[in-house]
Amino acid sequence: GKHWTVNEVRALIRIWSDKNIQQQLEGTVRNKRIFEQVAARLQKFGIDRDWKQCRTKYKNLKHEYKSVKSAQDSGSTSKSMKFFNELDAILGHCTMEQARKSDN
């Protein structure tokens, strides 16, 4: 598909940062319906992406975030990514929760 612009990614992250969307995403793997909602909300910003594109972008961002995060946790500062802070605001808390659970 065509490349996501910075504005498109920002809009996707803005929708993703909605607590309601986050709760739905955390609770399920079969998330087509959630991404259909996300795509519909992007449309309101004038962004034309289907649910598959949204899901793929979401997965890629999440994966990239996790690899940067784990690099940072191991003391490396060489890895970075655009939108890290925005994603950290969304994902930082759940990864901390999970980390705490696995420590106990």
Side-chain angles (χ1 to χ4, degrees):
K2 67 181 172 78
H3 238 44
W4 286 70
T5 66
V6 169
N7 284 343
E8 287 175 333
V9 177
R10 283 233 165 85
L12 179 69
I13 292 171
R14 192 177 307 141
I15 294 165
W16 180 3
S17 67
D18 179 328
K19 282 278 179 279
N20 187 16
I21 295 281
Q22 279 178 58
Q23 280 166 349
Q24 290 182 65
L25 285 168
E26 277 168 32
T28 182
V29 182
R30 296 189 189 287
N31 46 22
K32 177 181 174 189
R33 296 221 336 266
I34 305 162
F35 285 105
E36 284 172 341
Q37 286 176 42
V38 170
R41 284 170 70 170
L42 281 175
Q43 218 110 47
K44 289 179 186 159
F45 292 118
I47 297 165
D48 188 28
R49 295 284 180 182
D50 64 26
W51 71 270
K52 279 185 181 151
Q53 291 171 312
C54 293
R55 188 176 65 182
T56 301
K57 190 63 181 173
Y58 161 82
K59 284 184 171 171
N60 291 346
L61 283 167
K62 202 168 169 178
H63 178 76
E64 192 182 352
Y65 166 80
K66 280 184 175 161
S67 71
V68 171
K69 185 81 169 168
S70 66
Q72 285 182 356
D73 290 347
S74 65
S76 162
T77 51
S78 60
K79 263 192 126 123
S80 70
M81 68 177 283
K82 221 179 208 162
F83 311 117
F84 181 82
N85 293 337
E86 291 95 322
L87 292 175
D88 199 44
I90 301 171
L91 295 170
H93 70 97
C94 21
T95 50
M96 285 313 298
E97 295 275 285
Q98 284 151 6
R100 269 205 292 283
K101 279 187 194 126
S102 62
D103 284 346
N104 298 337

